[in-house]
Amino acid sequence: AILGGDNKESISQNLSFGSPYANGTIILENDINVNQNNSGMGFVVLDGSPFVDARIEGIITNSYNNAENLNASITKYNDGVLALDGPIYITRNSEVRGGGLLVNDKASCKFKVFENAWIGGTGIAKDLEVQTGGGIRPGEQGGEMEIAGNITLQDGAKFIIDVNSNGSVGAAKFTGSNVSLKAEGTIKLDVRAVGEITKAGRTKILDWSEATTKDTTAFNLDNYEIEFDEEVFSFIKLSTEDNAIYMTHYFNNKNPTMIFIW
């Protein structure tokens, strides 16, 4: 479905999308005014068969007329994936409590990501706090995400890296001045295949060369535990070079060349 219109929609309660039986993506073209009372609203997105269950293409804001009146928050609920394709002009700390949230433009607010939830996209996120079992999933099943602020990864937080059969690999670029990129314990690198992987590669997945940092514990390789599907990948290794982490992956060849010697 595509829901369009010329007016900004004013929402004062949760907005729900999708169905566990859906095989398509709901697209909302309108701008969203999350409400007029400086609190916020929730997006409830159920998990159907597409990777992205719902998209909002308009601006997320908290005022029709006053650009300074942005003190509101948003919360993403349930197991589906919501893509926010327009800018997010709100300033109060927001939350991802379930499923995935894709930031595909720019966000002015800090996000806290809870267990069994993740944040990603191809846009620019600000400060991120990822709790145990939560994750950062850069790109949209491949592609680059920019994080222009501080991140804090609790013990057991994840970087989820998608390796796409089209050759695109999820990557995060960190920017900003005097930022903290902090790990409070073990980071789980969760590598996922999108489609059939048939090519080995070496890819930059985390890059902080454009950031001035006061804490880079999130980029200490000793903090990482690597998780991957052994039916798809035969080997994954991390290395550092020039303020970046690279990932080398090999895949399991299901149809190896047979050489007979007699």
Side-chain angles (χ1 to χ4, degrees), residues 5 20 26 39 49 52 66 74 89 100 114 129 160 162 185 202 210 227 231 235 242 247 257 262:
I26 295 174
S39 58
S49 57
V52 177
N66 183 359
I74 58 175
Y89 291 123
F114 288 78
E129 178 185 337
I160 302 169
D162 289 303
R202 181 177 185 265
E210 296 183 20
E227 301 177 347
E231 293 186 2
F235 175 77
D242 297 329
M247 182 182 77
T257 300
W262 68 95

Side-chain angles (χ1 to χ4, degrees), residues 97-156:
R97 287 188 168 270
L101 180 68
L102 296 168
V103 175
N104 288 333
D105 199 292
K106 58 183 178 181
S108 300
C109 58
K110 175 181 178 178
F111 280 99
K112 179 183 288 187
V113 184
F114 288 78
E115 183 179 10
N116 298 321
W118 53 266
I119 189 168
T122 56
I124 304 174
K126 197 180 176 184
D127 297 346
L128 301 179
E129 178 185 337
V130 185
Q131 297 194 340
T132 301
I136 298 174
R137 189 174 187 174
E140 187 170 324
Q141 292 193 304
E144 185 177 81
M145 176 183 192
E146 181 177 341
I147 302 174
N150 300 300
I151 65 169
T152 300
L153 302 170
Q154 290 188 358
D155 184 38

